[in-house]
């Protein structure tokens, strides 16, 4: 009785060691086998042969396409053990089958593929049971299928005459598919058995489940089937095989494999499959697909059955992707989660190889995520994903650079500049990086001094980046030009304008074929009121890029500065035929039409702008508020999320500038407008502010046209529409003052202008009108002070010079007044219909 119990315990322990691949324990357990057990010697031979073969493969691993290296002496011992067990025939039938499978595996290791194939034919591999068998036998059967597939592949390679034909090719793929299915089943059962064992007994020393390895044969079976499908042009079947593996219940051993397969499938979905050829994972694959080679059509269905299959994830309300990008994104997010979880972050030399592999794997996932999310414009989500990658990114330029670009695309400009600084540290010789940083600083951030420093880096770099020096000078010129607009002292303005002009000239000389260099040189000359020279360069820019909207706009403004208003309007109409939704051009058109065609045409253009605005943002028409012009169709504030489309920032429509004081005023008026709107219980504006600012400007332009023809009631209605959007805007308050002046309410007009200046102290038009009102009220000293401040802000505003002359004349200072009048005449002769600075200055 004791002997039976001992034998039973030994057999259970042997089964466990074989299942867990603890081959080093087998020889000791074989010695403990009772001499009374039947077929004891044959069983010992079988076990010793198996453990010596597995130890040999562990010490001398096989690689795809090669036989096992290392000494053959141990393989000879393995053959002796297995031959002895098979020749005597005392083993039970199931153990004889096991011995035959091990012998076939030995033949494959020794490159005797024909003999291995013959053994598989004799043992009837397809008839071997998968139900109610020890866990280790599942592994043996799975490895047998993999070995059979490898033998068939090698035999066809060695015999070119019998090259792969349809049946043989399908048989090989089927072998690998069976191996993969049974391998997944084995791993699931193995993990379940180990979990049960840990619950029922105290842990024993030995390998843990995390240390389990797939081994060459199981890994080949899991990965080779889809490789052959893709190689043979059967993409549909390959994708189906990927999905089958991924739907199987995960084990700790297959985690790395699943991450690899998920990444590979995502890459195929992104690069090799369109929406029309996609099918859902829960649907049957199409019998015919444009993805597949015509010779392999109809081979997507599974042509085998197993008595037992691996468990798959099931349940109610399981998410199922409906298109290729959605499935790819799901796979990549899973892969990213696994890559972050298994990241090797240790910097000690022993972990260097593992750290490099971990980084490469994660980088591939993040590159694919960039493709998938970039297609959908989901840059916010992409930047969040890449931020999680920063723990990999120590001294890794690629990930830092991708992170910076994603932040730029997501509109997080300030953070992008900080990340670009790190990229510059990692690659100081790369001129593209400081150029990108300069673009952000000059554009959305308006950090002009910082942008100037980045541009200077490009200009001062070595010969390796000489091709970028033109762009560097262009960025430097823009920084100087915008700083000149910001400067409050005339001397500083002139000095910065001179520097800007020199930088643009240098950029144009380095890159005479760059239309932007010629355009910005023309624009800077125009701002400096050198109109003939500016016309020459803008024509050069149009010869290089004939459809550039900014160049056409500048040409129209230069013609208007020469008082050729009809020619300017023709240029604007031509530009709008190419860019019908460009609001900067449309605003200029309204001004020109007021002069050339009369107010009716200008009002019709305003109505057309409202229609364009609504169509751009797909807005609906809620209930009418009952206020506004009878001539214009009204644009109503649908507060839904708007598309993020680039629009002009008309924070100061009189100068067109977007300088520091204008930005500050814009922020103040935004905050005050939000407070006022909340007090009026109006719905808050959602989405980007630029569309709402543009809508407000449309109404203000219409109001200005009505004021020009002496219709204060209609102008008031239009101003009210703008006030509904931005009640505390200095532009709205200024226009209210204009209406009050038209009605003869001087005190009310004065109050509106003072309120506008309290929000935007550098609003030149408000300063000019307030100065004139103070002049009318006899307060000459204060009027002179305000007008001189206005001249400091914008020295090219001829209306301000003329008003200052009137004030000085009233004070009896005729010489100074005459000088002001002459300056006003000179400036008016070269003054465009709208300021040149209304044209965006961005890199």
């Amino acid at each position: 009785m004791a002997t039976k119990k001992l034998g039973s315990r030994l057999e259970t322990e042997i089964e466990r060691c074989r299942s867990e691949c603890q081959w080093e324990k087998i020889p000791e357990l074989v010695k403990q086998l009772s001499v009374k057990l039947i077929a004891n010697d044959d069983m010992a031979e079988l076990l010793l042969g198996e453990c010596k073969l597995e130890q040999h493969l562990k010490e001398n691993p096989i690689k795809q396409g090669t036989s096992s290296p290392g000494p053959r002496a141990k393989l000879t011992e393995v053959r002796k053990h297995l031959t002895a067990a098979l020749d005597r025939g005392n083993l039970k039938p199931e153990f004889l089958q096991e011995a035959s499978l091990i012998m076939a595996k030995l033949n494959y290791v020794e490159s005797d593929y024909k003999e291995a194939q013959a053994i598989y034919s004799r043992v009837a591999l397809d008839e071997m049971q998968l139900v109610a068998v020890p866990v280790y036998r599942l592994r043996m059967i799975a490895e047998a299928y993999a070995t059979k597939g490898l033998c068939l592949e090698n035999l066809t390679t060695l015999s070119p005459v019998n090259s792969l034909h349809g049946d043989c090719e399908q048989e090989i793929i089927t072998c690998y598919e069976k191996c993969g299915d049974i391998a997944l089943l084995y791993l699931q059962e193995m993990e379940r058995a180990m979990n049960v064992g840990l619950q029922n007994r105290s842990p024993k020393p030995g390998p843990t489940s995390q240390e389990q390895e797939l081994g060459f044969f199981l890994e080949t079976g899991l990965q080779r089937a889809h490789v052959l499908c893709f190689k043979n042009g059967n993409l549909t079947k390959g994708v189906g095989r990927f999905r089958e593996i991924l739907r199987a219940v995960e084990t700790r051993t297959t985690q790395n494999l699943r991450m690899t397969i998920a990444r590979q499938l995502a890459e195929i979905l992104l690069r090799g499959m369109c929406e029309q050829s996609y099918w859902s994972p829960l649907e049957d694959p199409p019998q015919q697909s444009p993805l597949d080679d015509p010779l392999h059509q109809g081979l997507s269905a599974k042509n085998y059955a197993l008595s037992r299959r691996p468990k798959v994830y099931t349940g109610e309300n399981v998410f199922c992707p409906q298109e290729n990008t959605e499935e790819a994104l799901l796979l990549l997010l899973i892969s990213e989660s696994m890559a972050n979880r298994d990241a090797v972050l240790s910097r000690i030399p022993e972990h260097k190889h593992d750290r490099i592999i971990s980084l490469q794997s994660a980088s591939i996932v993040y590159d694919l995520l960039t493709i998938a999310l970039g297609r959908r414009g989901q840059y916010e989500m992409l930047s969040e994903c890449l931020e999680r990658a920063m723990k990999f990114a120590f001294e890794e330029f690629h990930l830092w650079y991708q992170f910076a670009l994603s932040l730029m695309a997501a509109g997080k400009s300030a953070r992008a500049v900080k990340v670009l600084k790190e990229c510059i540290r990692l690659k100081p010789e790369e001129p593209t990086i400081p150029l990108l940083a300069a673009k952000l600083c000059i554009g959305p951030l308006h950090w002009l001094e910082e942008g100037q420093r980045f541009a200077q880096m490009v200009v001062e770099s070595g010969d390796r980046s000489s091709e970028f020096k033109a762009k560097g000078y262009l960025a430097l010129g823009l920084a100087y030009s915008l700083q000149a607009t910001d400067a409050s002292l005339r001397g500083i303005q002139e000095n910065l304008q001179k520097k800007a002009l020199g930088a643009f000239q240098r950029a144009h000389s380095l890159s005479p074929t760059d239309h932007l260099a010629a355009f910005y040189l023309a624009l800077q000359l125009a701002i400096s009121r050198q109109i003939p020279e500016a016309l020459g360069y803008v024509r050069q820019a149009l010869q290089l890029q004939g459809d550039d909207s900014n160049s056409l706009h500048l040409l129209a403004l230069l013609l208007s500065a020469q008082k050729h208003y009809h020619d300017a309007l023709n240029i604007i109409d031509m530009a709008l035929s190419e860019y019908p939704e460009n609001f900067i051009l449309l605003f200029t058109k309204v001004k020109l039409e007021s002069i050339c065609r009369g107010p009716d045409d200008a009002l019709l253009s305003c109505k057309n702008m409202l229609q364009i605005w609504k169509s751009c943002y797909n807005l609906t028409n809620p209930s009418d508020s009952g206020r506004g012009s009878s001539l214009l169709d009204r644009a109503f504030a649908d507060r839904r999320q708007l598309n993020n489309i680039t629009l002009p920032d008309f924070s100061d429509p009189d100068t067109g500038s977007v300088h520091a004081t204008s930005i500050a005023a814009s922020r103040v008026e935004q905050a005050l407008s939000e407070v006022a709107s909340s007090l009026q219980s109006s719905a808050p504006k959602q989405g980007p502010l630029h569309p709402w600012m543009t809508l407000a400007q449309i109404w203000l332009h219409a109001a200005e046209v009505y004021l020009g023809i002496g219709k204060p009631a209609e102008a008031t209605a239009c101003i009210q529409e703008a006030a509904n959007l931005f009640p505390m805007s200095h532009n709205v308050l200024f226009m209210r003052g204009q209406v009050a002046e038209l009605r003869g309410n001087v005190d009310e007009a004065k109050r509106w202008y003072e309120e506008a200046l309290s929000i935007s102290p550098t609003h030149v038009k408000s300063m000019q009108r307030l100065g004139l009102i103070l002049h009318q009220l006899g307060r000459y000293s204060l009027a002179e002070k305000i007008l001189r401040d206005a001249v400091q802000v914008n020295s090219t505003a001829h209306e301000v010079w003329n008003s200052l002359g009137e004030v000085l004349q009233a004070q009896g200072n005729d010489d100074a007044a005459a000088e002001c009048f002459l300056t006003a005449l000179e400036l008016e002769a070269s003054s465009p219909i709208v300021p040149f600075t209304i044209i965006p200055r961005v890199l």
Side-chain angles (χ1 to χ4, degrees):
M1 190 72 179
T3 305
K4 271 191 175 181
K5 285 185 179 178
L6 177 61
S8 177
R9 282 202 304 271
L10 278 174
E11 288 172 3
T12 302
E13 187 66 15
I14 288 170
E15 276 190 16
R16 187 182 68 81
C17 290
R18 293 177 76 183
S19 298
E20 297 177 8
C21 300
Q22 297 185 36
W23 306 112
E24 66 281 357
K25 293 186 177 182
I26 295 293
E28 183 62 32
L29 292 172
V30 167
K31 292 178 182 178
Q32 298 177 30
L33 278 174
S34 172
V35 293
K36 295 182 179 180
L37 289 176
I38 301 173
N40 165 27
D41 293 339
D42 292 349
M43 191 65 193
E45 297 285 3
L46 166 63
L47 294 172
L48 288 172
E50 181 182 29
C51 79
K52 288 181 179 180
L53 176 60
E54 295 297 338
Q55 285 177 329
H56 171 83
L57 292 175
K58 190 174 182 179
E59 295 167 2
N60 306 282
I62 303 175
K63 294 182 180 178
Q64 184 67 38
T66 61
S67 58
S68 175
R72 297 284 173 169
K74 187 173 283 189
L75 295 179
T76 304
E77 293 180 24
V78 172
R79 185 171 291 278
K80 286 179 181 179
H81 289 303
L82 295 176
T83 302
L86 288 167
D87 287 349
R88 286 198 288 266
N90 293 328
L91 290 171
K92 293 179 181 179
E94 60 267 25
F95 294 127
L96 282 172
Q97 282 183 328
E98 291 179 12
S100 298
L101 294 181
I102 299 168
M103 181 65 82
K105 187 175 179 180
L106 173 63
N107 285 322
Y108 171 79
V109 172
E110 293 181 335
S111 302
D112 192 351
Y113 307 125
K114 286 185 179 180
E115 181 59 28
Q117 187 67 13
I119 293 174
Y120 288 132
S121 300
R122 289 199 298 271
V123 298
L125 188 57
D126 291 336
E127 297 176 8
M128 296 186 73
Q129 289 297 312
L130 301 177
V131 181
V133 294
V135 176
Y136 73 85
R137 195 168 297 162
L138 294 175
R139 176 185 55 79
M140 293 183 72
I141 297 171
E143 289 184 345
Y145 276 115
T147 309
K148 182 180 179 181
L150 288 165
C151 289
L152 288 170
E153 273 200 271
N154 282 290
L155 288 171
T156 53
T157 304
L158 295 172
S159 304
V161 178
N162 299 323
S163 59
L164 279 177
H165 54 82
D167 294 340
C168 184
E169 175 186 301
Q170 188 58 41
E171 185 182 1
I172 293 171
I173 293 175
T174 300
C175 285
Y176 290 135
E177 288 180 332
K178 288 181 178 180
C179 169
D181 288 346
I182 300 170
L184 291 172
L185 177 62
Y186 157 70
L187 293 169
Q188 290 172 358
E189 290 296 312
M190 186 68 237
E191 186 156 295
R192 186 184 65 81
M194 293 187 74
N195 290 337
V196 170
L198 288 173
Q199 292 172 4
N200 295 339
R201 58 182 170 82
S202 59
K204 294 187 178 182
T208 63
S209 57
Q210 288 89 339
E211 296 172 355
Q212 284 286 119
E213 294 182 1
L214 282 174
F216 168 75
F217 295 99
L218 296 186
E219 193 168 342
T220 299
L222 286 165
Q223 293 192 341
R224 189 72 179 149
H226 54 258
V227 170
L228 290 178
C229 290
F230 295 138
K231 184 179 177 181
N232 296 332
N234 195 341
L235 192 64
T236 302
K237 187 168 184 177
V239 169
R241 185 60 191 163
F242 270 139
R243 287 170 168 175
E244 286 177 8
I245 295 173
L246 290 170
R247 287 187 65 196
V249 174
E250 183 180 11
T251 63
R252 285 186 285 265
T253 309
T254 58
Q255 285 177 351
N256 290 334
L257 176 69
R258 286 172 68 87
M259 186 175 75
T260 302
I261 288 177
R263 188 182 68 221
Q264 291 172 344
L265 177 54
E267 189 168 358
I268 289 167
L269 291 169
L270 290 172
R271 298 181 177 179
M273 185 180 291
C274 62
E275 293 181 4
Q276 289 73 24
S277 56
Y278 178 81
W279 75 99
S280 171
L282 298 181
E283 297 173 356
D284 292 330
Q287 290 298 313
Q288 292 187 342
S289 171
L291 300 174
D292 298 336
D293 188 324
L295 298 176
H296 295 82
Q297 292 280 3
L299 297 178
S300 301
K302 194 179 291 294
N303 60 352
Y304 67 90
L306 293 175
S307 58
R308 195 176 171 198
R309 287 192 170 277
K311 294 180 182 178
V312 296
Y313 290 109
T314 57
E316 296 181 0
N317 301 321
V318 175
F319 173 76
C320 182
Q322 299 300 315
E323 59 180 4
N324 57 332
T325 309
E326 197 173 74
E327 183 176 350
L329 185 56
L330 175 64
L331 292 165
L332 290 171
L333 290 174
I334 293 171
S335 299
E336 186 222 1
S337 174
M338 298 174 74
N340 274 284
R341 181 192 62 197
D342 301 331
V344 179
L345 305 179
S346 173
R347 307 298 300 181
I348 62 176
E350 292 81 358
H351 293 162
K352 181 179 180 180
H353 179 69
D354 292 336
R355 189 177 66 252
I356 290 172
I357 292 174
S358 175
L359 172 65
Q360 289 174 344
S361 178
S363 294
I364 294 171
V365 171
Y366 285 113
D367 288 345
L368 291 172
L369 270 171
T370 302
I371 295 171
L373 292 171
R375 285 183 180 178
R376 296 297 188 90
Q378 297 293 326
Y379 300 111
E380 179 85 21
M381 185 177 181
L382 177 60
S383 65
E384 291 172 2
C385 290
L386 287 167
E387 187 171 6
R388 292 193 291 269
M390 287 298 98
K391 68 179 183 180
F392 297 99
F394 179 71
E395 300 294 320
E396 292 297 334
F397 171 78
H398 178 68
L399 285 176
W400 278 100
Y401 195 43
Q402 290 283 75
F403 185 35
L405 294 175
S406 70
L407 290 170
M408 286 180 65
K412 301 175 182 178
S413 303
R415 287 197 68 196
V417 170
K418 292 181 180 180
V419 177
L420 286 169
K421 286 180 180 178
E422 176 66 12
C423 295
I424 292 171
R425 186 188 69 80
L426 294 172
K427 274 197 175 181
E429 74 284 354
E430 179 57 56
T432 310
I433 308 169
L435 269 177
L436 287 173
K439 175 177 178 149
L440 292 175
C441 292
I442 291 169
L445 295 173
H446 207 73
W447 296 350
L448 300 180
E449 292 182 359
E450 190 87 358
Q452 178 186 332
R453 284 194 289 271
F454 285 123
Q456 203 72 42
M457 288 183 192
V458 183
V459 169
E460 294 173 356
S461 57
D463 294 335
R464 284 177 295 179
S465 60
S466 58
E467 61 190 271
F468 291 94
K469 279 193 176 180
K471 289 291 183 186
Y473 278 109
L474 198 63
L476 194 59
L478 287 170
Y480 285 139
S481 180
L482 290 166
Q483 285 181 76
T485 304
D486 285 356
S488 57
L489 296 177
R490 188 173 178 181
I492 297 175
Q493 284 181 358
E494 291 175 352
N495 183 43
L496 288 168
Q497 286 178 354
K498 185 176 179 181
K499 286 183 177 181
L501 198 58
F504 288 135
Q505 287 171 339
R506 181 71 172 138
H508 184 56
S509 65
L510 285 171
S511 182
T513 58
D514 183 5
H515 76 282
L516 286 177
F519 163 71
Y520 280 120
L521 177 54
L523 179 58
Q524 189 59 40
L525 288 166
I527 292 170
S528 303
R529 297 299 175 92
Q530 300 178 44
I531 305 301
E533 294 87 348
L535 275 169
Y537 282 110
V538 79
R539 289 192 174 107
Q540 284 187 35
L542 286 168
Q543 287 174 356
L544 295 168
Q545 186 78 23
D547 60 349
D548 180 57
S549 62
N550 289 332
S551 297
L552 290 168
H553 196 183
L554 178 57
L555 177 59
L557 294 184
L558 289 168
L559 290 172
S560 72
Q562 295 181 327
K563 312 311 177 211
H564 302 316
Y565 294 120
H566 287 86
D567 293 339
L569 184 55
N570 290 335
I571 294 293
I572 291 292
D573 285 336
M574 182 177 67
L576 284 170
S577 67
E578 291 289 331
Y579 306 97
E581 297 174 358
N582 188 314
F583 286 100
I584 307 180
L585 293 173
L586 288 166
F587 289 141
T588 304
K589 180 181 179 180
V590 171
K591 297 277 190 179
L592 288 169
E593 282 183 330
S594 297
I595 295 175
C596 299
R597 298 173 184 169
D600 289 345
D601 283 2
L603 289 172
L604 286 174
S605 292
C606 290
K607 176 181 177 181
N608 182 48
M609 273 197 282
L610 291 174
Q611 296 295 334
I612 292 172
W613 187 89
K614 287 191 283 187
S615 65
C616 276
Y617 307 110
N618 193 26
L619 296 183
T620 56
N621 191 359
S623 59
D624 198 319
S625 63
R627 300 185 303 271
S629 167
S630 59
L631 178 63
L632 297 177
D633 286 341
R634 311 171 60 82
F636 297 92
D638 182 351
R639 311 304 198 200
R640 296 181 300 166
Q641 182 73 28
L642 298 179
N643 297 326
N644 189 6
I645 295 179
T646 302
L647 287 168
D649 183 359
F650 290 97
S651 45
D652 192 346
D654 301 318
T655 65
S657 62
V658 191
H659 48 73
T661 51
S662 297
I663 291 173
S666 178
R667 289 173 181 167
V668 169
E669 71 182 45
Q670 178 190 339
L672 292 174
S673 295
E674 287 175 356
V675 172
S677 295
S678 65
L679 293 175
Q680 296 169 9
S681 301
S682 62
K685 293 181 289 297
Q686 296 179 3
L689 275 178
H690 281 186
W692 301 111
M693 294 174 69
T694 303
L695 179 59
Q697 287 301 321
I698 295 172
W699 285 114
L700 291 178
H701 275 75
E704 191 174 347
V705 176
Y706 277 123
L707 286 173
I709 57 176
K711 292 188 176 182
E714 288 82 352
T716 300
C718 293
I719 293 169
Q720 185 58 45
E721 290 295 334
N724 290 339
L725 297 168
F726 297 100
M728 301 307 293
S729 167
H730 64 278
N731 295 322
V732 171
L733 299 173
F734 168 74
M735 292 302 294
R736 289 191 189 279
Q738 291 274 278
V739 171
E741 271 198 89
L742 184 62
R743 287 173 168 163
N745 298 328
V746 176
D747 291 335
E748 183 185 352
K750 176 175 172 289
R751 179 171 58 82
W752 287 121
Y753 294 143
E754 287 173 345
E755 287 188 17
L757 288 171
S758 69
I759 293 173
S760 178
T762 59
H763 190 229
V764 174
K765 277 290 183 74
S766 294
M767 298 171 81
Q768 187 247 339
R769 299 309 304 175
L770 180 59
L772 282 178
I773 288 178
L774 291 170
H775 167 55
Q776 293 174 21
L777 297 174
R779 301 173 65 180
Y780 301 125
S781 297
L782 183 56
E784 181 185 351
K785 168 69 169 61
I786 290 174
L787 291 170
R788 287 191 182 279
D789 288 345
V791 166
Q792 287 292 331
V793 174
N794 183 6
S795 60
T796 60
H798 62 274
E799 301 98 334
V800 179
W801 283 105
N802 187 67
S803 300
L804 181 58
E806 292 178 7
V807 171
L808 291 171
Q809 187 180 26
Q811 290 178 305
N813 193 347
D814 294 337
D815 292 339
E819 186 178 344
C820 288
F821 289 138
L822 287 173
T823 303
L825 284 171
E826 182 182 351
L827 290 172
E828 196 277 335
S830 62
S831 177
I833 191 70
V834 294
F836 292 114
T837 48
I838 201 172
I839 298 175
R841 284 170 284 176
V842 292
L843 189 58

